């Protein structure tokens, strides 16, 4: 224990009124040190965190419209065919003239239209495969089954069916299949583009 | 000399520090069961050393990560050993962590005043798992890519912040350069920094409170250990019998044999009265140096030996480079996350809520339970609750992991996925050798321009719905309804000879499933009844036009070939329909340059061309762009480069490693 300095012991209301009081000065020094020190450190930390979280504010690359096939290339019996999506894309500093982005199932519908699904499983993002018209699509990770029309099968842990992609109706009339390729957030019920 | 040391000691106090570090008292004497903490420190040190040297060879970007790891693994002197040690020590470290945790819980070393040390230890466990998870992605191969995609998607389901959290983790909305730079900074900077800081605190606290003396009733201690082994092998036995593999019937018997042995040992421990073990043990206290350190060193040597054993036995995997457009049927996390992965297959965890519960809430509850152990374990009953809880956790972990691996071992899609990724990686190594290096755009570009890999894939995707290749789709998959000729060996003498045999021509192997089964050619073959000698000569003549890979002059040389052409022009009347050797007359497909690269590209490009099938074409689409009658262009399904790759693959023409040496 440090012995009390008789000069410093005075009634508290007095201390509050005396600006030159050493205890009060010490408190001020501590407060200023902590606040100023914190403020100084927050400069590099703040800047660092600002760059770290910057992807939140950046815009996604959005969907890209791409020609995948001619309608007549698709199997006539309505079974789906997997197409690779390779397109121009910028990743940070690199601009790829042709970058593999994902893959899409296309299938002919009875009404003459074409259905397109992103092959990425809406559960956790693995790539689903097509088994047969009866068995539908199958995810090799958590064994979800999707029916031919992309809806959830009997055993399916996925929160939603396969994500359908927009097919350009005008070009379809000319026999061309143009699809807006897009990825969607996995693991949730809502089909949210990312 | 002594003065010099005194001077250093005076300025630094190193002598006291060393004394304190080494002359720690070990109550009850040095023991083998105290080695786990030291083996862990050793493993961490190994990871730091090998990690820093790997760092010197690694480059974290989407076009250089796989490439630099390839270089470390295959080109750098002893790189394979360096990477192997780093990889396998990481695996063994997880096991050591669990053993350390088990040790602490069994000996109730978390009790007052050591609660904080236990909590720091659990945090260290999770930092280690996070380092493993981030390290898994760094080679940027198919395995790491798809596993990380799943893991980061799970981060995305966290309520409210999930979407943003995922973007921050992967550095944008898509996987790429910034995913790697971020994971690498975490793996090599942030997390190891935190690890070191916490290990220092952990060891400081350990020294502050001293070692927990396994009190002992050594018998009770032994019982704990044997019963833990019993839980593990009991779970394995149940698994082995449920999922019996007819090819490996010995597995359940071996596992249950070990289990029976453990049960007998436990029974023996229970029946035998008294504590003769502890009676025979010297009661005097030992010193950390050298009594305990000797044991620690031997244990660390055993760890290193185990690591090297795995490096040499299993080597260190590097699958094909990451490709988001190339589905990977073997997307799996590392083995210590397999139980969580397997759990998510259960229908209980169905849907968005189920996934949230299975992937986030249940693991969080388990982690919380482990954190609460020091508080639960205050009483004797609480301690037993902890031990049982830990056994259940480990038992559950073993069962789920075994279920996952068992499923994969019997899953054809999974096995094909692994086999293809390995084949790709192997072929890529060959291509890099042939090319003399990797192009600046990355290794994937080599795979994409290789007929052997890319050609086969394009064939499977575009041709195999009708044409089989050796009965399959060319990629190990099946062709459900083959409706066109099997193209394996197309253009070779054997393949052409089969075509000329009426029986085989009209079978499913060739044109049995097409309208040509009833066509002119089938009828002609039936009429002329070719002799075997004629078939040999004609197939030799036609094969000399295409000269696919493996072509060699037939016995009888050019004369024999000429005799074949002679037959075609005269006796066999082939020239009535087919163009031969540039003399084009008939309406059938031209046989000039038959099955040559150019002929095949034209054929795949437009089989309905007037020189080929013309109007008689049966369902075969035109794969290249072409002008329609109204002047518009019909875009083809494939680019010319893709068609050339398919043709190159069918003809067996791809660069081979042996070509370089020549």
């Amino acid at each position: 224990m440090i012995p009390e300095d008789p000069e410093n012991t005075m009634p508290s209301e007095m201390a509050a009124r005396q600006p030159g009081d050493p205890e009060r000065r010490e408190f001020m020094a501590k407060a200023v040190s902590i606040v100023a020190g914190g403020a100084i450190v927050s400069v590099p930390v703040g800047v660092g965190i600002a760059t770290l979280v910057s992807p939140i504010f950046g815009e996604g690359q959005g969907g890209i419209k791409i020609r995948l096939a001619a309608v007549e290339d698709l199997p006539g019996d309505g079974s789906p065919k997997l197409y690779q999506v390779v397109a121009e894309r910028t990743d940070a500093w690199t601009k790829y003239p042709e970058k593999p982005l994902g893959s899409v199932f296309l299938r002919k519908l009875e009404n003459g239209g074409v259905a397109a699904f992103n092959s990425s499983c809406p559960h956790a993002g693995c790539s689903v495969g097509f088994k047969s018209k009866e068995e539908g699509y199958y995810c090799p990770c958590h064994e979800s089954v999707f029916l031919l029309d992309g809806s959830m099968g009997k055993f399916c842990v996925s929160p939603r069916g396969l994500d359908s992609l927009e097919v350009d109706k005008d070009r379809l009339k000319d026999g061309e299949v143009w699809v807006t390729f897009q990825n969607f957030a996995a693991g949730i019920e809502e089909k949210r583009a990312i | 000399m002594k003065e010099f040391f005194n001077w250093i000691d005076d300025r630094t106090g190193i002598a006291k520090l060393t004394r304190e570090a080494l002359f720690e008292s070990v109550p009850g004497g040095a023991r083998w069961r105290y080695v786990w903490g030291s083996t862990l420190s050793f493993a961490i040190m190994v990871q730091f050393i090998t990690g820093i040297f790997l760092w010197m060879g690694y480059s974290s970007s989407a076009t250089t990560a796989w490439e630099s790891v390839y270089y470390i693994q295959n080109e750098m002197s002893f790189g394979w050993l360096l990477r192997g040690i780093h990889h396998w020590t990481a695996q063994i470290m997880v096991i050591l962590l669990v053993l350390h945790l088990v040790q602490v819980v069994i000996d109730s070393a978390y009790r007052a005043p050591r609660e904080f040390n236990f909590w720091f230890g659990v945090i260290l466990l999770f930092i280690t798992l996070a380092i493993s998870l981030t390290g898994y992605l760094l080679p940027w191969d198919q395995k790491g890519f798809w596993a990380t995609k799943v893991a980061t998607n799970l981060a995305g389901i966290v309520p409210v912040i999930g979407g943003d959290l995922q973007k921050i983790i992967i550095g944008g909305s898509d996987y790429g350069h910034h995913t790697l730079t971020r994971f690498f900074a975490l793996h090599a900077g942030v997390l190891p920094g935190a690890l070191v800081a916490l290990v220092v605190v952990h060891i400081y606290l350990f020294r502050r409170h001293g070692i927990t003396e396994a009190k002992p009733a050594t018998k009770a201690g032994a019982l704990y250990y044997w019963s833990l082994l019993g839980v593990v092998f009991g779970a394995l036995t149940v698994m082995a019998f449920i999922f019996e593999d007819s090819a490996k019937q010995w597995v359940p018997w071996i596992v249950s044999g070990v289990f029976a042995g453990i049960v007998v040992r436990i029974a023996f421990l229970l029946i035998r009265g008294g504590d003769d073990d502890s009676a025979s043990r010297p009661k005097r206290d030992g010193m950390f140096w050298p009594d305990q350190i000797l044991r620690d060193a031997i244990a660390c040597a055993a760890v290193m030996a185990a690591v090297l054993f795995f490096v040499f036995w299993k080597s260190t995997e590097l699958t094909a480079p990451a490709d988001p457009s190339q589905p990977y049927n073997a997307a799996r996390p590392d083995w210590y996350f397999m139980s969580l992965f397997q759990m998510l297959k259960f229908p209980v965890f169905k849907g968005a809520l189920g996934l949230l519960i299975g992937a986030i809430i249940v693991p969080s509850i388990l982690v919380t339970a482990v954190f609460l152990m020091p508080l639960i374990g205050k009483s004797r009953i609480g301690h037993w609750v902890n031990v049982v809880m830990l056994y259940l956790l480990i038992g559950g972990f073993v069962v789920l992991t075994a279920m996952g691996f068992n499923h994969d071992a019997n899953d054809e899609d999974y096995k094909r996925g692994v086999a293809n990724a390995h084949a790709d990686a192997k072929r890529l190594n060959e291509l890099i050798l042939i090319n003399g290096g990797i192009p600046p755009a990355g290794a994937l570009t080599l795979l994409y321009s290789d007929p052997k890999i890319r050609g086969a894939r394009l064939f499977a995707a575009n041709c195999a719905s009708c044409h089989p290749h050796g009965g399959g789709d060319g990629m190990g998959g099946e062709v459900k309804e083959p409706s066109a000729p099997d193209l394996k060996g197309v253009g070779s003498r054997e393949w052409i000879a089969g075509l000329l045999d009426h029986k085989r021509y009209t079978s499913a192997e060739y044109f049995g499933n097409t309208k040509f089964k009833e066509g002119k050619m089938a009828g002609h073959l039936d009429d002329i009844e070719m002799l075997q000698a004629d078939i040999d000569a004609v197939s030799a003549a036609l094969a000399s036009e295409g000269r696919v890979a493996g072509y060699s002059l037939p016995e009888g040389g050019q004369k024999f070939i000429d005799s074949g052409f002679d037959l075609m022009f005269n006796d066999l009347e082939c020239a009535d329909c087919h163009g031969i050797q540039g003399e084009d007359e008939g309406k059938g497909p031209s046989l000039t340059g038959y099955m040559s690269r150019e002929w095949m590209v034209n054929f795949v490009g437009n089989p309905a061309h007037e020189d080929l099938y013309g109007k008689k074409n049966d369902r075969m689409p035109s794969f290249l762009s072409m002008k329609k009658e109204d002047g518009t262009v019909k875009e083809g399904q494939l680019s010319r480069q893709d068609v050339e790759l398919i043709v190159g693959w069918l003809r067996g023409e791809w660069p081979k490693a042996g070509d370089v040496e020549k």
Side-chain angles (χ1 to χ4, degrees), chain A residues 155-170:
Chain A
F155 182 88
C156 184
V157 291
S158 171
R160 59 175 195 262
L162 290 178
D163 294 318
S164 58
L165 298 170
E166 196 189 318
V167 179
D168 188 318
K169 287 200 178 97
D170 293 332

Side-chain angles (χ1 to χ4, degrees), chain A residues 52 56 67 72-73 81 84 89 91 94 96 100 102 120 123-125 131 140-143 155-157 159, chain B residues 149-150 153 164 174 176-177 182 323 325 332 341 345 350-352 355 407 448 454 461 480 634-635 637:
Chain A
L52 182 75
I56 306 177
R67 179 196 181 272
E72 59 180 302
D73 299 338
K81 199 172 157 187
Q84 277 191 317
R89 176 140 292 195
D91 171 18
T94 306
Y96 297 94
S120 182
H123 181 236
K131 288 231 147 163
C141 283
H142 298 101
E143 299 167 30
F155 182 88
C156 184
V157 291
Chain B
K149 198 177 166 201
V150 172
N153 274 329
D164 288 341
D174 214 348
H177 291 323
R182 278 165 194 241
D323 182 350
S325 72
R332 295 289 182 271
F341 177 89
K345 291 183 189 172
K350 187 178 155 72
L355 186 61
H407 172 271
Y448 268 71
R454 184 77 183 146
K480 291 231 163 61
K634 189 236 166 223
E635 284 220 48
Q637 286 189 51

Side-chain angles (χ1 to χ4, degrees), chain B residues 108-118 205 208-210 212:
Chain B
S108 46
Y110 48 60
R111 279 189 179 155
R114 300 186 176 82
E115 299 97 324
F116 270 91
N117 211 15
F118 180 81
L205 284 173
R208 182 181 154 92
H209 301 304
T212 312

Side-chain angles (χ1 to χ4, degrees), chain B residues 459 464-489 495 508-509 649:
Chain B
F459 179 88
S465 54
C466 302
H467 290 279
H469 185 275
D473 71 351
M475 292 282 296
E478 54 174 338
V479 177
K480 291 231 163 61
E481 291 164 29
S483 59
D486 190 314
L487 295 180
K488 184 164 190 187
W495 190 87
E509 192 187 353
W649 178 68

Side-chain angles (χ1 to χ4, degrees), chain A residues 51-56 58-61 67 70 72-73 81-86 89 91-94 96 99-103 120 123-127 131-132 138 140-143 154-159 176 183 186-189 192 194, chain B residues 61-63 146 149-150 153-154 157 163-164 167-168 171-178 181-182 323-329 331-332 341 344-347 349-353 355 407 411 413 441 444 448 454 461-462 480 621 634-637:
Chain A
T51 60
L52 182 75
V53 302
S54 63
I56 306 177
E59 281 175 29
Q61 306 228 14
R67 179 196 181 272
E72 59 180 302
D73 299 338
K81 199 172 157 187
L82 187 67
Y83 284 87
Q84 277 191 317
V85 178
V86 178
R89 176 140 292 195
D91 171 18
W93 56 87
T94 306
Y96 297 94
K99 186 179 191 309
L101 299 179
S103 48
S120 182
H123 181 236
C126 294
S127 209
K131 288 231 147 163
S132 66
Y138 173 79
C141 283
H142 298 101
E143 299 167 30
K154 207 172 178 189
F155 182 88
C156 184
V157 291
S158 171
E176 300 279 296
N183 284 313
I188 51 177
E189 269 160 35
R192 195 181 68 211
I194 47 172
Chain B
S61 84
T63 48
W146 288 96
K149 198 177 166 201
V150 172
N153 274 329
L154 292 183
I157 63 169
D164 288 341
K167 276 187 181 172
I168 293 173
S173 52
D174 214 348
Y175 301 82
H177 291 323
H178 276 168
T181 50
R182 278 165 194 241
D323 182 350
S325 72
Q326 190 56 47
Y328 183 54
N329 282 337
R332 295 289 182 271
F341 177 89
L344 295 181
K345 291 183 189 172
F346 295 141
F349 301 118
K350 187 178 155 72
L353 184 63
L355 186 61
H407 172 271
D411 181 355
D413 288 340
L444 216 49
Y448 268 71
R454 184 77 183 146
N462 295 287
K480 291 231 163 61
K634 189 236 166 223
E635 284 220 48
Q637 286 189 51

Side-chain angles (χ1 to χ4, degrees), chain B residues 318-643:
Chain B
L318 178 63
T319 61
D323 182 350
S325 72
Q326 190 56 47
Y328 183 54
N329 282 337
R332 295 289 182 271
D334 225 344
W335 63 271
Y336 35 83
F337 292 121
M338 195 67 170
S339 51
L340 284 177
F341 177 89
Q342 178 67 22
M343 205 173 81
L344 295 181
K345 291 183 189 172
F346 295 141
V348 195
F349 301 118
K350 187 178 155 72
L353 184 63
L355 186 61
L356 183 67
I357 293 172
I360 310 281
I361 296 176
V362 169
S364 304
I365 290 174
L366 296 180
V367 170
T368 312
V370 174
F371 261 97
L372 291 178
M373 277 185 173
L375 305 180
I376 301 169
K378 276 182 174 167
S379 63
R380 198 175 156 72
I381 297 173
H383 175 61
W384 274 100
V385 169
N386 282 341
V387 172
V388 170
M389 196 159 73
L390 188 67
Y391 282 12
L392 284 178
L393 257 177
I394 294 175
F397 173 88
V398 172
V399 169
L400 286 171
T401 309
M403 277 173 80
F405 279 104
N406 186 71
H407 172 271
D408 292 349
N410 297 307
D411 181 355
E412 290 309 316
D413 288 340
Y414 172 86
K415 284 194 272 188
R416 204 169 59 243
V418 173
N420 283 340
H422 282 180
D424 286 3
K426 197 174 160 218
R427 173 65 180 158
L428 192 48
N429 287 7
E430 226 171 83
L431 288 171
I432 294 168
L433 281 181
I434 294 164
N435 193 50
I438 299 168
L444 216 49
T445 52
L446 284 177
L447 273 189
Y448 268 71
S449 56
D450 178 44
K452 188 179 179 194
I453 294 289
R454 184 77 183 146
R457 264 186 206 153
L458 287 166
F459 179 88
N462 295 287
C463 315
S465 54
C466 302
H467 290 279
H469 185 275
D473 71 351
M475 292 282 296
E478 54 174 338
V479 177
K480 291 231 163 61
E481 291 164 29
S483 59
D486 190 314
L487 295 180
K488 184 164 190 187
V490 68
S492 67
R493 272 206 293 280
E494 296 72 27
W495 190 87
I496 297 169
L499 183 82
L500 296 173
D501 177 339
H502 175 255
K503 222 172 161 185
R504 289 176 70 186
Y505 182 93
T506 52
S507 74
E509 192 187 353
Y510 287 90
F511 292 100
N513 291 321
T514 70
K515 69 179 188 187
F516 299 120
K517 186 184 179 185
E518 315 288 341
K520 242 180 162 178
M521 175 77 180
H524 186 61
L525 282 175
D526 198 20
D527 291 345
I528 56 177
E529 291 182 26
M530 287 170 79
L531 299 169
Q532 189 58 45
D534 294 352
I535 289 180
D536 288 347
V538 172
S539 50
L542 283 175
S544 75
E545 293 279 278
R547 303 193 178 214
V548 297
Y551 174 80
S552 59
L553 271 182
E555 257 181 75
Q558 190 60 40
K559 256 192 183 166
F560 188 59
I561 291 172
D562 291 341
S563 75
F565 281 122
D566 198 43
L567 278 169
M568 291 169 76
F569 277 114
N570 301 306
D571 298 11
L572 299 176
E573 301 167 346
C574 304
D576 289 0
C577 298
H578 297 284
I580 299 169
Q581 290 189 306
E583 291 181 31
D584 208 341
E585 287 174 23
K587 287 185 175 172
S590 164
L591 299 181
T592 306
Y594 181 64
M595 291 296 170
S596 63
R597 171 173 277 271
E598 196 191 347
W599 189 93
M600 283 176 82
V601 170
N602 287 338
F603 191 92
V604 177
N606 180 16
H609 189 274
E610 55 182 18
D611 287 346
L612 298 164
Y613 282 140
K615 285 183 179 151
K616 287 183 181 160
N617 181 34
D618 179 20
R619 292 166 297 162
M620 166 112 177
S622 304
F623 282 88
L624 287 176
S625 301
M626 49 183 246
K627 262 191 186 157
K628 287 194 272 196
E629 282 166 10
D630 58 4
T632 55
V633 174
K634 189 236 166 223
E635 284 220 48
Q637 286 189 51
L638 296 170
S639 66
R640 177 162 278 275
Q641 191 200 2
D642 286 348
V643 171

